[in-house]
Amino acid sequence: MAIIDFYDRGWRSNPHGVAYVQGERRFSFTEVGELSCRIANALLAAGLPVQSKGAVWAGNDVTAWACTLGLWRANMCWIPVNARNPDAENQHILDAFDCDIVFYQSAYAATIDALRAVLPKVRLWLCIDALEAWCGGQAVTTPLVAVDMDDLVMLSPTGGTTGKPKGVMNTHRSTQTFVAHFMLGCHYGADERPVNLAAAPMTHTAGLLSLPATARGGTVVVLAKPDPALMLEALVRERVTEFFLPPTVIYRLLDAPGIAMHDYSALRYFIYGAAPMSLDKLKKAIEVFGPVMTGGYGQTEAPASISMMPPAQHVVDGKLASDERLASVGRPCALVRVEIMDEHNAILGSGQTGEICVRGDLLMRGYYQAPEQTTQTIVDGWLHTGDIGHLDAEGFLHITDRKKDMIISGGFNVYPSEVEQVIWSHPAVQDCAVIGVPDAQWGEAVKAVVELNAGCSVDAGTLIALCKEQLGSVKAPKSIEFVAALPRSPVGKVLKKDLRQAYWAGSKQTI
């Protein structure tokens, strides 16, 4: 199926039903479906060919999401950009990924005006708040465009060893596999209409996770931000049946006043993932929300569904499962094969530790304009995830370490080399190493261990402020430790593993 077919499946089964809710506003499947048709037809009428690439610079918003649907309906490719990123980072993404179209909310008009001069490859700039004037006269029928299952659906930014984002090319094939995994993993009756709460950024994970509900003719409740009070109110008011949050936001939610006093009886799947989860917090969430917690593991390169742990697998013989089971990321999903491989790409047995590798239709097509990096990551049809782990005797997947040094803080990827470059730029710094350390709120917190030049001094606040200015608050270290000398190998390489070990030893969090 083409990715837009999942929306149309819901539209056909529930044309007058509520597809989206935002505040007091309710949008029917027909209303949003027809808007997406007008957007698609207007894009094609403007002379843009299929597989053109478009970004949507906006917060969580139903009309902004309709622009993404419009791109897909014209068989064009969506570039997810987070409006909270530093402008320079988004500028690099749009330029490096050859973006053709930018939809933007008027709240970002000043930023967009500044970008126009430095992004000459963008052919069309469209203000979302003025869509009617641009596409109102277009047909409300789906344009007839050819679709190949390996055409691009998403060109998603991710980081790398240089700190510059690579473009992950996901296709109709890989995204339909993702949707199928969640439709198989989250069970509803044939006539049930899920209610999905999109509180996390729809440009990150929540957008894709809304598609299985939409395909069933269900409703997506869109929140502008993951505010605990707003989420609790929406859960009860809209009788939400499923939603996703990264652990850091779950922790904030669990601390909300009176959380145990609400009625969560409609909730069936509370999906967590994208970062390490504290076992203590997971147990508390089960206590508060009931047997609904649903774990998941995926990567941008294999979107969000390499493995899943549905609610029933959190329980054994009527009791909460062991910590070992709860620390896993579930069993591999139905339409992928997961194996553990050694450094020679040989498959290892149960309980043996190696690199987690994945094969199947879930895999990306490759990295955009980076064939060498693609062939290093996908070897003989196997995606090498860079995560180290094992499969236990019952087939549960455990992530025990990271081959790469990437930090996942609050559900967002932070690449140490990018942070290190900023810290190195300070004249007082001789060397530094950036690592992830366990954190009750963020899952992992960014920590910098810094070695200063002889006779120099600088305080932690200055370095943190420098990182916030250049990278934004998500990537800035939460703490800095100063040491006389960093641990190094005989050839002079900083031993980050040794630095991390002191912080992770004895931690109850999965990593």
Side-chain angles (χ1 to χ4, degrees), residues 156-177:
S156 302
T158 187
T161 55
T162 65
K164 294 294 185 183
K166 299 189 294 289
V168 176
M169 298 188 292
N170 274 301
T171 64
H172 293 282
R173 190 184 308 279
S174 63
T175 52
Q176 79 158 5
T177 305

Side-chain angles (χ1 to χ4, degrees), residues 311-332:
Q313 291 179 359
H314 290 71
V315 177
V316 176
D317 296 330
K319 297 179 181 179
L320 197 62
S322 67
D323 283 0
E324 181 181 6
R325 164 79 68 84
L326 295 177
S328 79
V329 290
R331 290 188 173 116

Side-chain angles (χ1 to χ4, degrees), residues 23-366:
E24 299 301 315
R25 182 83 159 81
R26 294 176 181 265
F27 301 78
S28 73
F29 271 91
T30 295
E31 181 180 3
V32 175
E34 289 183 348
L35 174 58
S36 71
C37 288
R38 290 197 296 269
I39 292 169
N41 284 311
L43 289 170
L44 296 169
L48 291 154
V50 297
Q51 291 295 278
S52 294
K53 294 178 282 292
V56 182
W57 196 306
N60 279 6
D61 177 81
V62 174
T63 306
W65 185 245
C67 294
T68 301
L69 296 176
L71 287 165
W72 287 341
R73 194 172 292 284
N75 195 20
M76 296 183 181
C77 176
W78 174 43
I79 302 175
V81 293
N82 190 333
R84 295 173 58 194
N85 285 345
D87 294 344
E89 181 175 332
N90 282 345
Q91 176 189 333
H92 170 79
I93 290 167
L94 298 181
D95 183 55
F97 296 179
D98 299 320
C99 183
D100 300 292
I101 310 139
V102 175
F103 293 93
Y104 64 93
Q105 290 175 318
S106 59
Y108 301 102
T111 298
I112 296 299
D113 287 344
L115 290 175
R116 288 177 186 257
V118 293
L119 291 172
K121 287 184 279 189
V122 177
R123 297 171 58 183
L124 199 58
W125 300 85
L126 297 165
C127 181
I128 293 170
D129 305 85
L131 275 181
E132 184 63 29
W134 172 68
C135 69
Q138 295 291 332
V140 295
T141 53
T142 297
L144 295 177
V145 293
V147 174
D148 186 283
M149 292 306 293
D150 292 318
D151 285 343
L152 295 188
V153 165
M154 292 191 304
L155 184 52
S156 302
T158 187
T161 55
T162 65
K164 294 294 185 183
K166 299 189 294 289
V168 176
M169 298 188 292
N170 274 301
T171 64
H172 293 282
R173 190 184 308 279
S174 63
T175 52
Q176 79 158 5
T177 305
F178 155 81
V179 176
H181 278 159
F182 273 88
M183 293 184 77
L184 289 169
C186 297
H187 301 288
Y188 289 94
D191 297 322
E192 285 186 273
R193 308 276 190 210
V195 180
N196 175 280
L197 180 60
M202 296 187 78
T203 53
H204 191 241
T205 304
L208 277 185
L209 282 170
S210 72
L211 293 176
T214 297
R216 290 179 164 113
T219 299
V220 179
V221 181
V222 178
L223 295 185
K225 57 183 180 179
D227 176 85
L230 293 176
M231 286 188 285
L232 291 175
E233 192 271 335
L235 280 169
V236 175
R237 184 190 72 236
E238 301 296 340
R239 301 285 293 167
V240 168
T241 65
E242 60 179 43
F243 78 125
F244 161 79
L245 288 177
T248 179
V249 185
I250 295 175
Y251 304 162
R252 286 168 45 206
L253 189 64
L254 290 171
D255 289 337
I259 187 169
M261 306 302 292
H262 295 281
D263 176 13
Y264 306 115
S265 58
L267 188 61
R268 294 178 60 181
Y269 301 100
F270 189 160
I271 303 161
Y272 63 94
M277 180 79 175
S278 159
L279 291 181
D280 289 340
K281 297 288 189 182
L282 175 57
K283 292 173 184 177
K284 183 178 178 181
I286 293 171
E287 181 182 325
V288 170
F289 296 103
V292 297
M293 302 307 291
T294 305
Y297 163 62
Q299 296 191 324
T300 308
E301 293 89 340
S305 60
I306 292 172
S307 67
M308 287 183 68
M309 189 157 77
Q313 291 179 359
H314 290 71
V315 177
V316 176
D317 296 330
K319 297 179 181 179
L320 197 62
S322 67
D323 283 0
E324 181 181 6
R325 164 79 68 84
L326 295 177
S328 79
V329 290
R331 290 188 173 116
C333 291
L335 302 177
V336 289
R337 180 180 172 190
V338 176
E339 297 289 356
I340 308 300
M341 293 187 179
D342 66 14
E343 63 273 19
H344 305 295
N345 299 336
I347 294 174
L348 299 174
S350 174
Q352 293 183 282
T353 297
E355 184 172 10
I356 299 168
C357 297
V358 184
R359 190 173 75 184
D361 286 348
L362 184 68
L363 271 56
M364 67 173 179
R365 200 170 85 186

